[in-house]
C-alpha cells in the first residue's frame, strides 16, 4: 500500500506538470504564474472542503497536528505551485521535473534532523541513485548544456527552490500526522491556508503582471483547475503514504515522477527530444527503488 500510494502521488505530480503546459499555452502570455496558482489552489481547496464531511475524521482531532498542517500550508502548496508554474513557463516540464527531483535530498535530510528518521546506507544509496537517474533523463550532453545556457540562472533557481520547499514540507507534514493521523485533514488545512494566501496576493497586488484570474481565457482557467486537482490528489496521496511510512522511503518513491513526466510529455505533447541516456537513467532509478525498498 505504501508503494502504491507513493507512486500514485508521483503520477499525479507528473500529470499536473503536463496539464499546466496547456494552461500556460492557452493563456498565451496574457497571465502570469500567480494567476495559475490563483485558480488551481482555491479550486482544489474548495473541492477538499466540499468532500471534508465524508473524508475528515474529526474524532481524532488534535490541535497540535492542525497547527502543523496550517504551518505547512504557509508555503506548501502555495509557494511550490507558483515556483512550478513559473519554472514550467520558462524551462518546460522536462527540466522542471528533473531539477524538482532533488526534493528527496531535502526531505530525507530534514527528516533525519527533525524526526530522527536516519536512512540506512542502502537507502541513502537508493536515494542518490533515484536523483541521479532522474537527472540523466533530462540533463544530457550538449542538449543539456544548451538548455542551461538558454535559461537564465534565476530561472534555474525556480525548480530548485520548489524542490527544497517540497522536500521540507514532507517531514513537517509527517510530524503533524503523528499527532493527528488523518491525511485528508492535512491536505484540507494546508490547502485552505495556501488558498487564503494566494487569493490575498492576487487581490492585494493588482499591479502584479497577470495576477488577476479575471483576465484569463476560459480554457486556460479550466486547464489550471485540472492542474490544481491533479496536484491536490498528489498531495493527498503523499500525506496518506507519510501516515504509513517514513520520509526516507516515501520521498524517493514520489521522486520517481520525472519518469512519468517524461512518458506523459512524450504521449501528450509529442516531446521526443531525449536521447539514449534515457534508458540508463530509468535503469538507475529502478535500481535505486529496489535498494530503497530492500533497505
Amino acid at each position: 500500500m505504501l508503494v502504491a500510494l507513493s507512486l500514485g502521488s508521483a503520477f499525479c505530480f507528473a500529470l499536473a506538470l503536463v496539464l499546466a503546459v496547456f494552461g500556460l499555452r492557452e493563456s498565451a502570455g496574457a497571465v502570469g504564474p500567480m494567476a495559475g496558482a490563483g485558480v488551481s489552489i482555491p479550486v482544489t481547496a474548495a473541492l477538499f472542503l466540499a468532500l471534508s464531511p465524508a473524508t475528515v475524521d474529526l474524532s481524532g482531532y488534535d490541535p497540535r497536528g492542525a497547527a502543523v498542517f496550517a504551518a505547512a500550508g504557509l508555503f506548501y502548496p502555495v509557494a511550490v505551485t507558483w515556483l512550478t508554474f513559473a519554472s514550467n513557463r520558462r524551462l518546460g516540464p522536462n527540466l522542471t521535473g528533473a531539477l524538482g527531483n532533488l526534493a528527496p535530498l531535502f526531505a530525507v535530510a530534514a527528516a533525519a534532523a527533525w524526526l530522527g528518521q536516519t536512512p540506512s546506507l542502502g537507502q541513502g544509496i537508493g536515494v542518490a541513485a533515484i536523483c541521479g537517474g532522474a537527472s540523466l533523463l533530462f540533463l544530457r550532453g550538449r542538449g543539456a548544456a544548451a538548455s542551461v545556457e538558454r535559461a537564465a540562472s534565476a530561472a534555474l533557481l525556480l525548480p530548485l527552490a520548489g524542490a527544497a520547499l517540497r522536500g521540507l514540507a514532507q517531514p513537517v507534514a509527517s510530524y503533524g500526522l503523528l499527532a493527528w493521523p488523518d491525511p485528508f485533514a492535512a491536505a484540507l488545512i494546508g490547502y485552505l491556508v495556501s488558498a487564503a494566501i494566494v487569493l490575498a496576493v492576487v487581490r492585494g497586488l493588482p499591479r502584479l503582471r497577470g495576477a488577476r484570474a479575471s483576465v484569463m481565457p476560459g480554457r486556460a482557467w479550466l486547464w489550471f483547475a485540472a492542474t490544481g486537482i491533479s496536484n491536490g490528489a498528489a498531495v493527498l496521496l503523499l500525506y496518506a503514504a507519510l501516515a504509513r511510512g517514513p520520509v526516507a522511503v516515501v520521498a524517493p518513491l514520489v521522486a520517481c515522477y520525472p519518469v512519468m513526466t517524461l512518458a506523459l510529455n512524450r504521449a501528450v505533447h509529442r516531446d521526443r527530444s531525449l536521447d539514449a541516456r534515457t534508458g540508463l537513467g530509468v535503469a538507475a532509478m529502478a535500481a535505486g527503488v529496489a535498494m530503497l525498498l530492500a533497505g
Side-chain angles (χ1 to χ4, degrees), residues 97-241:
L99 296 178
N101 187 64
L102 297 176
L105 297 181
F106 298 98
V108 172
W114 299 342
L115 305 176
Q117 297 180 1
T118 304
S120 65
L121 177 60
Q123 289 175 325
I125 296 175
V127 172
I130 291 172
C131 293
S135 297
L136 280 175
L137 295 180
F138 307 114
L139 305 181
R140 54 183 175 75
R142 291 186 302 172
S147 296
V148 173
E149 185 177 349
R150 287 195 298 269
S153 58
L156 293 174
L157 291 176
L158 293 172
L160 291 175
L165 292 177
R166 183 184 290 112
L168 294 176
Q170 296 182 43
V172 171
S174 184
Y175 181 74
L177 288 165
L178 293 175
W180 187 6
D182 189 335
F184 291 98
L188 171 64
I189 294 173
Y191 261 90
L192 287 176
V193 173
S194 284
I197 291 173
V198 74
L199 289 176
V201 170
V202 169
R203 292 178 178 275
L205 297 176
R207 294 184 181 180
L208 185 63
R209 183 177 182 272
R212 292 192 180 280
S214 59
V215 303
M216 183 182 298
R219 291 181 64 180
W221 195 98
L222 291 175
W223 283 117
F224 283 129
T227 299
I229 293 172
S230 184
N231 266 327
V235 171
L236 180 59
L237 291 170
L238 169 63
Y239 288 169

Side-chain angles (χ1 to χ4, degrees), residues 254-276:
V254 175
C256 291
Y257 79 89
V259 176
M260 302 176 188
T261 302
L262 169 66
L264 288 171
N265 206 29
R266 288 173 68 92
V268 176
H269 296 298
R270 308 298 181 186
D271 185 345
R272 304 186 183 279
S273 60
L274 303 178
D275 60 15

